[in-house]
Amino acid sequence: MSRSALVTGGSRGIGLAIARELAAAGDNVAVTYRSGDPPEGLFGVSCDTTDTTQVDSAFTQVEKEQGPVDVLVANAGITKDQLLALTSEEDFSAVLDTNLTGAFRVAKRAVRSMMRSRDGRIILVSSVVGLLGSGGQTSYAASKAGLVGFGRSLAREIGSRNVTVNIVAPGFIETGMTAELPEDRQAEIKKNIPLGRYGAPEEVASTVRFLASPSAAYITGAVIPVDGGLGMGH
Ligand code: NDP
Protein backbone atom coordinates (compact mmCIF):
# COMPACT_ATOMS: atom_id res chain seq x y z
CA MET A 1 0.00 0.00 0.00
CA SER A 2 1.28 3.48 -0.86
CA ARG A 3 2.31 5.59 2.09
CA SER A 4 1.68 9.29 2.55
CA ALA A 5 4.94 11.27 2.51
CA LEU A 6 5.51 14.98 3.08
CA VAL A 7 8.73 16.81 2.21
CA THR A 8 9.14 20.39 3.42
CA GLY A 9 10.94 22.73 1.05
CA GLY A 10 10.29 20.28 -1.76
CA SER A 11 9.99 22.84 -4.52
CA ARG A 12 13.65 22.73 -5.52
CA GLY A 13 17.13 21.47 -4.68
CA ILE A 14 17.57 18.53 -2.32
CA GLY A 15 13.92 18.55 -1.21
CA LEU A 16 12.65 18.17 -4.76
CA ALA A 17 15.09 15.30 -5.43
CA ILE A 18 13.88 13.58 -2.23
CA ALA A 19 10.24 14.05 -3.21
CA ARG A 20 10.84 12.58 -6.68
CA GLU A 21 12.79 9.64 -5.22
CA LEU A 22 10.03 8.80 -2.71
CA ALA A 23 7.44 9.06 -5.49
CA ALA A 24 9.56 6.68 -7.59
CA ALA A 25 9.54 4.28 -4.62
CA GLY A 26 5.74 4.25 -4.81
CA ASP A 27 4.77 6.72 -2.08
CA ASN A 28 2.14 9.42 -2.45
CA VAL A 29 4.24 12.51 -2.02
CA ALA A 30 3.29 16.03 -1.02
CA VAL A 31 5.71 18.93 -0.87
CA THR A 32 5.53 22.29 0.81
CA TYR A 33 6.50 25.27 -1.29
CA ARG A 34 6.74 28.89 -0.33
CA SER A 35 7.49 30.82 -3.49
CA GLY A 36 6.68 30.14 -7.14
CA ASP A 37 4.62 27.15 -8.29
CA PRO A 38 4.48 23.63 -6.88
CA PRO A 39 6.59 21.13 -8.82
CA GLU A 40 4.82 19.23 -11.58
CA GLY A 41 3.42 15.82 -10.71
CA LEU A 42 3.59 16.30 -6.93
CA PHE A 43 0.86 17.51 -4.56
CA GLY A 44 2.01 20.97 -3.45
CA VAL A 45 0.85 22.81 -0.35
CA SER A 46 1.85 26.38 0.25
CA CYS A 47 3.51 26.62 3.66
CA ASP A 48 6.05 28.71 5.49
CA THR A 49 7.43 26.44 8.21
CA THR A 50 8.08 29.40 10.50
CA ASP A 51 4.28 29.75 10.90
CA THR A 52 2.51 27.16 13.08
CA THR A 53 -0.91 27.92 11.59
CA GLN A 54 0.39 27.39 8.05
CA VAL A 55 2.05 24.12 9.14
CA ASP A 56 -1.22 22.87 10.63
CA SER A 57 -3.17 23.85 7.53
CA ALA A 58 -0.60 22.15 5.26
CA PHE A 59 -0.92 18.89 7.20
CA THR A 60 -4.73 19.10 7.08
CA GLN A 61 -4.59 19.49 3.28
CA VAL A 62 -2.16 16.58 2.93
CA GLU A 63 -4.32 14.40 5.18
CA LYS A 64 -7.37 15.11 3.00
CA GLU A 65 -5.49 14.44 -0.23
CA GLN A 66 -3.41 11.37 0.62
CA GLY A 67 -4.02 10.42 4.26
CA PRO A 68 -2.08 11.06 7.49
CA VAL A 69 1.64 11.55 6.98
CA ASP A 70 3.58 8.27 7.36
CA VAL A 71 6.92 9.66 6.17
CA LEU A 72 8.01 13.18 7.10
CA VAL A 73 11.14 14.75 5.66
CA ALA A 74 12.02 18.05 7.36
CA ASN A 75 14.22 19.57 4.68
CA ALA A 76 13.33 23.28 4.49
CA GLY A 77 16.34 25.37 5.40
CA ILE A 78 18.07 28.70 4.91
CA THR A 79 21.50 30.23 5.45
CA LYS A 80 22.38 33.74 6.49
CA ASP A 81 26.14 33.24 6.67
CA GLN A 82 28.24 35.95 8.24
CA LEU A 83 31.09 36.29 10.71
CA LEU A 84 29.75 36.31 14.26
CA ALA A 85 30.67 39.94 14.85
CA LEU A 86 28.57 40.94 11.85
CA THR A 87 25.64 38.61 12.55
CA SER A 88 22.53 40.39 13.76
CA GLU A 89 20.37 38.77 16.41
CA GLU A 90 17.51 38.97 13.92
CA ASP A 91 19.41 36.89 11.31
CA PHE A 92 20.62 34.38 13.91
CA SER A 93 17.05 33.90 15.15
CA ALA A 94 15.66 33.63 11.61
CA VAL A 95 18.03 30.76 10.78
CA LEU A 96 17.18 28.93 14.02
CA ASP A 97 13.47 29.56 13.49
CA THR A 98 13.46 28.08 9.99
CA ASN A 99 15.98 25.26 10.31
CA LEU A 100 15.42 24.03 13.87
CA THR A 101 12.07 25.33 15.14
CA GLY A 102 10.60 24.68 11.68
CA ALA A 103 11.54 21.00 12.06
CA PHE A 104 10.05 21.02 15.58
CA ARG A 105 6.76 22.43 14.21
CA VAL A 106 6.36 19.83 11.48
CA ALA A 107 7.57 16.89 13.59
CA LYS A 108 5.20 17.84 16.42
CA ARG A 109 2.27 17.96 14.01
CA ALA A 110 3.29 14.69 12.33
CA VAL A 111 3.82 12.51 15.41
CA ARG A 112 0.17 12.76 16.50
CA SER A 113 -1.05 10.41 13.78
CA MET A 114 2.19 8.39 13.65
CA MET A 115 1.85 7.51 17.34
CA ARG A 116 -1.78 6.56 16.85
CA SER A 117 -0.96 4.27 13.93
CA ARG A 118 2.20 3.00 15.64
CA ASP A 119 4.14 3.51 12.47
CA GLY A 120 6.14 6.36 11.01
CA ARG A 121 9.41 7.68 9.67
CA ILE A 122 10.86 11.09 10.38
CA ILE A 123 13.97 12.19 8.55
CA LEU A 124 15.65 15.48 9.42
CA VAL A 125 18.00 17.12 6.93
CA SER A 126 20.95 18.45 8.92
CA SER A 127 24.42 19.20 7.54
CA VAL A 128 28.04 18.15 7.92
CA VAL A 129 28.76 21.60 9.38
CA GLY A 130 26.45 20.91 12.31
CA LEU A 131 29.08 18.51 13.63
CA LEU A 132 32.28 19.91 12.08
CA GLY A 133 31.59 23.59 12.61
CA SER A 134 32.35 26.18 9.98
CA GLY A 135 33.70 29.70 10.38
CA GLY A 136 31.16 32.25 9.20
CA GLN A 137 28.29 29.84 9.72
CA THR A 138 27.57 29.99 13.46
CA SER A 139 23.81 30.34 13.04
CA TYR A 140 23.52 27.64 10.38
CA ALA A 141 25.81 25.18 12.22
CA ALA A 142 23.96 25.77 15.51
CA SER A 143 20.63 25.06 13.83
CA LYS A 144 21.93 21.91 12.16
CA ALA A 145 23.64 20.61 15.34
CA GLY A 146 20.36 21.32 17.14
CA LEU A 147 18.59 18.94 14.78
CA VAL A 148 20.85 16.10 15.97
CA GLY A 149 19.93 16.62 19.64
CA PHE A 150 16.30 17.16 18.74
CA GLY A 151 16.12 14.08 16.51
CA ARG A 152 17.92 11.77 18.90
CA SER A 153 15.72 12.86 21.81
CA LEU A 154 12.59 12.34 19.74
CA ALA A 155 13.88 8.94 18.61
CA ARG A 156 14.12 7.92 22.26
CA GLU A 157 10.72 9.40 23.05
CA ILE A 158 8.70 7.65 20.35
CA GLY A 159 10.72 4.55 19.49
CA SER A 160 8.33 2.36 21.47
CA ARG A 161 5.56 3.47 19.07
CA ASN A 162 7.52 2.12 16.11
CA VAL A 163 8.35 5.59 14.81
CA THR A 164 11.96 6.06 13.72
CA VAL A 165 13.74 9.41 13.63
CA ASN A 166 16.98 9.75 11.70
CA ILE A 167 19.20 12.59 10.64
CA VAL A 168 20.86 12.93 7.25
CA ALA A 169 23.95 15.13 7.21
CA PRO A 170 24.81 16.16 3.65
CA GLY A 171 28.13 17.72 2.79
CA PHE A 172 28.37 20.09 -0.16
CA ILE A 173 25.61 19.32 -2.62
CA GLU A 174 25.07 21.03 -5.97
CA THR A 175 22.06 23.28 -5.39
CA GLY A 176 21.16 26.97 -5.31
CA MET A 177 22.54 27.11 -1.76
CA THR A 178 26.10 26.10 -2.75
CA ALA A 179 26.05 27.99 -6.07
CA GLU A 180 25.97 31.17 -3.96
CA LEU A 181 29.51 30.45 -2.64
CA PRO A 182 32.36 32.32 -4.36
CA GLU A 183 34.39 30.19 -6.82
CA ASP A 184 37.66 30.32 -4.87
CA ARG A 185 35.80 29.13 -1.76
CA GLN A 186 34.23 26.29 -3.79
CA ALA A 187 37.68 25.15 -5.04
CA GLU A 188 39.05 25.24 -1.49
CA ILE A 189 36.13 23.15 -0.23
CA LYS A 190 36.59 20.50 -2.94
CA LYS A 191 40.26 20.10 -1.94
CA ASN A 192 39.08 18.95 1.50
CA ILE A 193 36.51 16.43 0.26
CA PRO A 194 38.07 12.94 -0.01
CA LEU A 195 35.88 12.18 -3.04
CA GLY A 196 37.00 15.51 -4.60
CA ARG A 197 33.59 16.67 -5.77
CA TYR A 198 30.25 18.04 -4.66
CA GLY A 199 27.41 15.59 -4.28
CA ALA A 200 24.24 15.53 -6.34
CA PRO A 201 20.82 16.08 -4.73
CA GLU A 202 19.88 12.59 -5.91
CA GLU A 203 22.67 11.13 -3.75
CA VAL A 204 21.02 12.60 -0.65
CA ALA A 205 17.61 11.51 -1.92
CA SER A 206 18.63 7.86 -2.25
CA THR A 207 19.77 7.84 1.40
CA VAL A 208 16.46 9.31 2.51
CA ARG A 209 14.63 6.71 0.41
CA PHE A 210 16.59 3.98 2.23
CA LEU A 211 15.82 5.45 5.68
CA ALA A 212 12.13 5.60 4.77
CA SER A 213 12.11 2.02 3.46
CA PRO A 214 11.39 -1.26 5.28
CA SER A 215 15.13 -2.05 5.00
CA ALA A 216 15.83 0.66 7.59
CA ALA A 217 13.18 -0.47 10.10
CA TYR A 218 15.79 -1.06 12.84
CA ILE A 219 17.67 2.22 12.40
CA THR A 220 16.75 5.16 14.62
CA GLY A 221 18.62 8.11 16.14
CA ALA A 222 21.33 7.72 13.51
CA VAL A 223 23.22 10.53 11.83
CA ILE A 224 23.98 9.41 8.30
CA PRO A 225 26.62 11.44 6.43
CA VAL A 226 26.27 11.97 2.68
CA ASP A 227 29.33 14.13 2.31
CA GLY A 228 32.02 12.49 0.17
CA GLY A 229 34.01 11.81 3.37
CA LEU A 230 34.27 15.44 4.44
CA GLY A 231 33.09 14.90 8.02
CA MET A 232 34.77 11.55 8.61
CA GLY A 233 35.31 10.81 12.28
CA HIS A 234 32.50 13.03 13.52
P1 NDP B 1 17.70 25.41 -1.51
O1 NDP B 1 18.03 26.78 -1.04
O2 NDP B 1 17.93 25.01 -2.91
O3 NDP B 1 16.17 25.04 -1.11
C1 NDP B 1 15.69 25.30 0.18
C2 NDP B 1 14.26 24.87 0.25
O4 NDP B 1 13.76 25.20 1.57
C3 NDP B 1 13.37 25.62 -0.75
O5 NDP B 1 12.39 24.74 -1.23
C4 NDP B 1 12.77 26.71 0.11
O6 NDP B 1 11.51 27.15 -0.34
C5 NDP B 1 12.59 25.98 1.42
N1 NDP B 1 12.42 26.89 2.53
C6 NDP B 1 13.30 27.77 3.05
N2 NDP B 1 12.75 28.43 4.08
C7 NDP B 1 11.50 27.96 4.23
C8 NDP B 1 10.43 28.24 5.10
N3 NDP B 1 10.50 29.16 6.08
N4 NDP B 1 9.26 27.56 4.95
C9 NDP B 1 9.13 26.65 3.98
N5 NDP B 1 10.11 26.34 3.12
C10 NDP B 1 11.27 27.00 3.23
O7 NDP B 1 18.50 24.48 -0.51
P2 NDP B 1 19.05 22.99 -0.64
O8 NDP B 1 18.18 22.15 -1.48
O9 NDP B 1 20.50 23.08 -0.94
O10 NDP B 1 18.93 22.56 0.90
C11 NDP B 1 17.90 21.72 1.39
C12 NDP B 1 18.26 21.33 2.81
O11 NDP B 1 19.51 20.66 2.80
C13 NDP B 1 18.44 22.54 3.74
O12 NDP B 1 17.94 22.22 5.02
C14 NDP B 1 19.94 22.72 3.78
O13 NDP B 1 20.35 23.34 4.95
C15 NDP B 1 20.40 21.27 3.69
N6 NDP B 1 21.77 21.12 3.23
C16 NDP B 1 22.16 21.57 2.00
C17 NDP B 1 23.48 21.39 1.60
C18 NDP B 1 23.98 21.83 0.28
O14 NDP B 1 25.18 21.71 0.04
N7 NDP B 1 23.15 22.30 -0.63
C19 NDP B 1 24.45 20.75 2.49
C20 NDP B 1 23.93 20.29 3.74
C21 NDP B 1 22.63 20.48 4.08
P3 NDP B 1 11.42 28.41 -1.37
O15 NDP B 1 11.83 27.88 -2.71
O16 NDP B 1 9.99 28.78 -1.34
O17 NDP B 1 12.34 29.45 -0.84
Side-chain angles (χ1 to χ4, degrees), residues 124-231:
L124 308 173
V125 181
S126 176
S127 165
V128 66
V129 308
L131 299 170
L132 267 186
S134 168
Q137 292 198 293
T138 50
S139 58
Y140 183 72
S143 71
K144 294 301 185 177
L147 285 175
V148 176
F150 173 76
R152 287 188 158 160
S153 301
L154 185 59
R156 290 183 187 279
E157 217 174 283
I158 58 180
S160 62
R161 304 295 184 101
N162 192 35
V163 180
T164 68
V165 186
N166 289 294
I167 300 105
V168 172
F172 288 87
I173 308 297
E174 273 168 8
T175 67
M177 199 175 262
T178 43
E180 282 173 18
L181 294 166
E183 268 183 29
D184 53 341
R185 175 86 180 104
Q186 295 204 30
E188 197 187 306
I189 289 165
K190 283 180 192 163
K191 263 197 266 164
N192 291 318
I193 302 173
L195 290 181
R197 63 173 178 88
Y198 280 179
E202 293 71 26
E203 291 175 303
V204 179
S206 56
T207 303
V208 173
R209 176 180 178 161
F210 165 69
L211 289 171
S213 77
S215 308
Y218 201 54
I219 301 176
T220 196
V223 180
I224 313 281
V226 186
D227 63 1
L230 181 61

Side-chain angles (χ1 to χ4, degrees), residues 9 11-12 14 34-35 48-49 75 126 140 144 171 173 175 178:
S11 54
R12 58 192 166 97
I14 293 172
R34 216 175 29 151
S35 53
D48 184 329
T49 59
N75 163 81
S126 176
Y140 183 72
K144 294 301 185 177
I173 308 297
T175 67
T178 43

Side-chain angles (χ1 to χ4, degrees), residues 15-223:
L16 179 58
I18 292 170
R20 296 231 182 273
E21 186 77 25
L22 292 176
D27 293 334
N28 294 317
V29 184
V31 297
T32 72
Y33 68 100
R34 216 175 29 151
S35 53
D37 296 319
E40 223 173 280
L42 296 167
F43 179 63
V45 283
S46 167
C47 173
D48 184 329
T49 59
T50 62
D51 182 331
T52 308
T53 308
Q54 287 189 34
V55 167
D56 187 51
S57 151
F59 271 81
T60 304
Q61 289 173 64
V62 172
E63 284 160 358
K64 272 197 195 125
E65 175 72 17
Q66 60 185 39
V69 172
D70 305 301
V71 177
L72 170 70
V73 184
N75 163 81
I78 57 166
T79 52
K80 287 189 186 286
D81 295 347
Q82 188 56 274
L83 298 175
L84 181 66
L86 302 173
T87 300
S88 66
E89 189 169 332
E90 192 186 12
D91 279 357
F92 191 88
S93 298
V95 172
L96 268 289
D97 195 24
T98 303
N99 298 3
L100 181 56
T101 317
F104 153 80
R105 289 185 190 98
V106 292
K108 184 173 176 185
R109 181 59 175 77
V111 295
R112 274 197 226 161
S113 57
M114 288 180 179
M115 285 174 66
R116 259 199 307 272
S117 65
R118 293 186 171 265
D119 196 16
R121 298 293 169 91
I122 297 176
I123 295 140
L124 308 173
V125 181
S126 176
S127 165
V128 66
V129 308
L131 299 170
L132 267 186
S134 168
Q137 292 198 293
T138 50
S139 58
Y140 183 72
S143 71
K144 294 301 185 177
L147 285 175
V148 176
F150 173 76
R152 287 188 158 160
S153 301
L154 185 59
R156 290 183 187 279
E157 217 174 283
I158 58 180
S160 62
R161 304 295 184 101
N162 192 35
V163 180
T164 68
V165 186
N166 289 294
I167 300 105
V168 172
F172 288 87
I173 308 297
E174 273 168 8
T175 67
M177 199 175 262
T178 43
E180 282 173 18
L181 294 166
E183 268 183 29
D184 53 341
R185 175 86 180 104
Q186 295 204 30
E188 197 187 306
I189 289 165
K190 283 180 192 163
K191 263 197 266 164
N192 291 318
I193 302 173
L195 290 181
R197 63 173 178 88
Y198 280 179
E202 293 71 26
E203 291 175 303
V204 179
S206 56
T207 303
V208 173
R209 176 180 178 161
F210 165 69
L211 289 171
S213 77
S215 308
Y218 201 54
I219 301 176
T220 196
V223 180

